[in-house]
Amino acid sequence: MIKTETAYKLIQRNINVKNKITRVALRESLGRYLAEDIKSKINIPPQDNSAVDGIAINYLKYKNNSNYCYEIISEINAGDVFNKKIGKNQCVKVSTGAHLPNYLDTVIMIEDVKFLNNKLVELPKILTTKKNVRKKGEDIKKGKIIITKKTVLRSQEIGLLASINKITIKVFEKIKIAIVSNGNELVNPGTTKKNNQIYDSNRFMLMDLLKLPCNIVTDSGILNDDYEKIKKKIMTLKEKNDLIVISGGASVGHKDYVVKIIKKIGKIIFSSLAIKPGRPLSFGILDNKVPILILPGNPVASFVTFNLFGNFILNCMHGLISKKPDFFLVKSNFNMMKKYGREEYLRGKLVKKKKELFVNKYSTEGAGILSSVVWSDGLIKLNAETKQVKINDYLQFFPYNKTR
C-alpha cells in the first residue's frame, strides 16, 4: 500500500498534459481553464476620479489661501467631461466616479463641508492632498498581466475581463470523460430489481461531481463482471475520451477484472492506498495518454477517493500539478481511538462554538453508508500517525464545496 502523497506524485508524473486550445466568447467562459496570460490594454480607472460625493479643489490654491469660503462653479457627474478652469476660491461639486482633470487633485466629502447657500461652501481648515481621489490605473495598469494562464474562470474574473473590453478568450478544450459502473449486482434506478441487486448510485453521483463547464461527461452505463465485455468497452472508451472513471472492480476478488485488464492493455500506476475508506483505489494509463481512475464500489469510499483524487487528475490534465485538495484547521468536537498506520477520512459536520469552528464526526464509519455524506459538510483527515483524537484537538478539514 502507498501513501496519498506518493499517489499524488505518481499521478503527476504519468499525466499527459492536455494542451489543446480553443477560443470562446466571454459569456461562455465560466468554469473554463484560461489558456493564455491576459494583459490589459487600458488603465482602470482610465482617469483620476472621485471616490466619494463631494467638493473637488486644487490643493495648492487651497494651501496658499486663508479664505476657506469657496464658490461652486460647476458640477461633474460620472461620465461627464469637464474642461473648465477654476480660479481662486472656486471649487466643483462632484459625484462618486466623476472623472477629474489633473488640476482638481483633492476631494472633500460632502458631509465635511458647510453649505452657506447653494453656490457657496466653507471648507475645513485642515486637509490633506489627493484625498478621496482614485488614481488613473489604480485598479489595473495598462500592460499589466491581470489574470494568469491556467486560472479557472469565476464570475469575478469574467467581470474583470469584461472591464478591459475582452469579448473572446483562449481556453483549454473541454476534457471528455466516460463514467462507468462495474458489478453484476447493479441496476439502473427506475427499473425493477431483485433482492440480490442494488441501484447504482455511484455513477449518478460521479456524473454530477464531474458536471463542470470544463468537462464533457458521457454516461457509459453499467458493465457486468465479464472479462471480454469489460475489455472491449474500455478499448472503445479510450479512443473517444480523455479520461475514464470506473466505479467498482478495484478490489482483488476473482471477478474484479478491471485492474487485471488495465495491466494487459495499458499499465497500472498504483492499486492500493493506505487510507480508509478507499484502500482499493487504482490508477492507470492507457496508450500512454488516457488516464483511468478505478474507484472502490462502496459509495462512501467512491465519494471520498474521488474528492481526493478526481479533481486533482483534472487539474493535472490542465498542467496544474500542484493543485491538491485544500484543507483548513478546525477543532475536534469528539473523542475517538484510531488504528495507527493509515490515513482515515471521516465525514464531518461543522459547528460554531464561542466564535470558533468545531467539527463533529458521523456516528458510524461504514464505507457503504451514503447518507453520511449527505449529513456532512466535508471530510476530516486523520494522519496515519494519529492514534487518538480528543475534544479541542486541531484537525484538517476539507469542505465539499471546494471542488477545484
Side-chain angles (χ1 to χ4, degrees), residues 198-203 205-206 209 247-248 275-281 295-309 344-348 362-376 378-380 398 400:
I198 59 173
Y199 291 116
D200 181 13
S201 59
N202 288 358
R203 197 168 94 257
M205 179 171 64
L206 292 167
L209 285 166
S247 169
I275 66 171
K276 176 186 177 182
R279 182 185 58 79
L281 177 78
L295 301 168
N298 282 327
V300 174
S302 182
F303 181 82
V304 168
T305 50
F306 178 83
N307 272 279
L308 294 176
F309 295 100
E344 286 193 24
Y345 292 87
L346 311 175
R347 276 69 72 203
Y362 194 68
S363 54
T364 58
E365 299 168 24
I369 304 174
L370 194 55
S371 56
S372 66
V373 298
V374 175
W375 171 86
S376 57
L379 301 176
I380 304 164
F398 171 77
Y400 295 143

Side-chain angles (χ1 to χ4, degrees), residues 35-36 50 71 143 158 169 182 208 226 251 291 308 322 386 395 398:
E36 59 179 335
S50 177
E71 177 193 4
I158 290 170
I169 53 170
N182 170 230
D208 193 65
D226 182 298
S251 297
L308 294 176
S322 62
T386 301
L395 301 174
F398 171 77

Side-chain angles (χ1 to χ4, degrees), residues 153-206:
L153 295 174
R154 304 168 297 172
S155 302
Q156 48 267 54
E157 280 85 14
I158 290 170
L160 192 63
L161 290 168
S163 76
I164 63 164
N165 196 33
K166 272 286 186 182
I167 57 172
T168 65
I169 53 170
K170 291 179 181 179
V171 296
F172 291 113
E173 284 191 358
K174 294 185 178 186
I175 294 178
K176 297 174 183 176
I177 307 170
I179 308 293
V180 187
S181 286
N182 170 230
N184 286 340
E185 74 280 13
L186 300 175
V187 295
N188 281 313
T191 61
T192 302
K193 74 174 186 67
K194 299 174 183 177
N195 283 337
N196 62 330
Q197 295 177 316
I198 59 173
Y199 291 116
D200 181 13
S201 59
N202 288 358
R203 197 168 94 257
F204 291 87
M205 179 171 64
L206 292 167

Side-chain angles (χ1 to χ4, degrees), residues 45-65:
Q47 187 175 327
D48 291 0
N49 69 78
S50 177
V52 297
D53 293 338
I55 299 296
I57 63 169
N58 178 279
Y59 182 78
L60 191 58
K61 289 182 178 180
Y62 162 88
K63 186 178 179 183
N64 297 326
N65 187 4

Side-chain angles (χ1 to χ4, degrees), residues 214-246:
C214 59
N215 300 333
I216 297 173
V217 181
T218 302
D219 179 2
S220 297
I222 297 170
L223 283 172
N224 289 334
D225 294 318
D226 182 298
Y227 185 95
E228 290 302 325
K229 288 182 178 179
I230 295 172
K231 181 180 176 183
K232 183 179 178 180
K233 185 71 169 181
I234 292 174
M235 294 289 284
T236 301
L237 293 176
K238 74 181 177 67
E239 299 301 324
K240 300 177 181 178
N241 294 279
D242 305 304
L243 171 66
I244 301 170
V245 179
I246 297 182

